[in-house]
Amino acid sequence: DAGVTQSPTHLIKTRGQQVTLRCSPKSGHDTVSWYQQALGQGPQFIFQYYEEEERQRGNFPDRFSGHQFPNYSSELNVNALLLGDSALYLCASSLKGTTNEKLFFGSGTQLSVL
Amino acid sequence: QKEVEQNSGPLSVPEGAIASLNCTYSDRGSQSFFWYRQYSGKSPELIMSIYSNGDKEDGRFTAQLNKASQYVSLLIRDSQPSDSATYLCAVQNWDNFNKFYFGSGTKLNVKP
């Protein structure tokens, strides 16, 4: 049973560049959520995708966008990178429609913006 | 006010002792509560979930929930050095499209 997979594991970019991160959910899951985790902080909710639509969004600017594909996989895009975007980006998958919905995390993408 | 508050620690306990981790939350509509363990440089791993008031035990771990006080705790019995990690508390509101809120985590150090 494949868990949540993310790629790449590490990424180094410069200010102003654009980046795309990818996530495949756990088998049987249909919902993907993205989180940003700065060093020493808890995960901060970016947005959630379900049925190929953004369903919820946290307090992140429009530079952060995403997509969900028919196979439930998802991408996170960040434009015009800032130094402050350096963080661990976590993808979490879940099965919508259950009151006992639980999040399972991928191993994350460590993004460094220079 | 943050949705989920945790003492950042570090909490230091000797090997074999009981570690007690605490969390408070602000949304009275929260219905599900979770504890995640996160080793340095790794992603969070779900270790406990609790949905009703009282205690829930799983091996060396016990989660405690008091909705009236908006308080969740995690007890780790017979603490081991391998338990040294950051413990994240998360709460979920089913009426808010199952949105999850995470605390900033408590760092636990178990000393041999």
Side-chain angles (χ1 to χ4, degrees):
Chain A
D1 180 19
V4 182
T5 58
Q6 288 187 246
S7 63
T9 54
H10 295 85
L11 208 49
I12 300 175
K13 293 286 187 178
T14 57
R15 281 181 299 174
Q17 283 190 310
Q18 177 263 344
V19 68
T20 297
L21 310 181
R22 297 176 175 82
C23 172
S24 292
K26 181 179 169 66
S27 178
H29 284 184
D30 58 7
T31 302
V32 172
S33 302
W34 287 93
Y35 289 82
Q36 181 195 66
Q37 188 176 27
L39 197 62
Q41 300 296 317
Q44 298 296 309
F45 176 72
I46 303 175
F47 43 53
Q48 181 188 79
Y49 276 85
Y50 170 65
E51 292 185 332
E52 301 180 49
E53 290 188 17
E54 182 182 297
R55 298 293 179 170
Q56 295 186 80
R57 189 177 185 92
N59 190 24
F60 280 81
D62 292 345
R63 297 187 298 109
F64 290 77
S65 63
H67 190 78
Q68 187 179 34
F69 299 94
N71 67 353
Y72 308 118
S73 67
S74 176
E75 289 182 348
L76 164 65
N77 300 293
V78 187
N79 294 323
L81 284 167
L82 303 174
L83 296 179
D85 295 331
S86 295
L88 178 66
Y89 287 84
L90 294 164
C91 169
S93 75
S94 58
L95 179 62
K96 188 61 69 182
T98 62
T99 51
N100 293 343
E101 181 176 354
K102 298 176 182 176
L103 287 181
F104 293 87
F105 285 90
S107 56
T109 295
Q110 185 66 54
L111 173 64
S112 298
V113 181
L114 305 178
Chain B
Q1 180 188 10
K2 291 185 178 179
E3 289 87 359
V4 181
E5 299 268 10
Q6 293 183 256
N7 188 321
S8 61
L11 173 66
S12 293
V13 300
E15 184 174 356
I18 296 175
S20 178
L21 305 165
N22 305 313
C23 166
T24 58
Y25 60 95
S26 60
D27 182 0
R28 283 196 169 274
S30 300
Q31 294 108 334
S32 301
F33 306 87
F34 306 89
W35 284 99
Y36 285 81
R37 178 177 61 199
Q38 186 173 27
Y39 293 113
S40 181
K42 302 295 185 182
S43 62
E45 172 193 11
L46 179 64
I47 55 172
M48 288 288 289
S49 59
I50 187 167
Y51 306 102
S52 54
N53 282 328
D55 295 359
K56 179 182 177 182
E57 187 175 316
D58 184 0
R60 296 186 296 112
F61 298 98
T62 299
Q64 299 175 317
L65 174 61
N66 184 326
K67 290 185 178 180
S69 300
Q70 296 176 243
Y71 178 89
V72 193
S73 65
L74 179 70
L75 300 178
I76 306 175
R77 290 181 300 280
D78 188 25
S79 295
Q80 301 297 310
S82 59
D83 294 326
S84 298
T86 296
Y87 289 80
L88 299 165
C89 173
V91 304
Q92 181 189 38
N93 186 334
W94 303 338
D95 297 328
N96 190 10
F97 217 81
N98 287 10
K99 191 170 182 177
F100 285 78
Y101 294 95
F102 283 83
S104 57
T106 298
K107 186 173 176 59
L108 172 66
N109 290 329
V110 181
K111 298 181 177 181

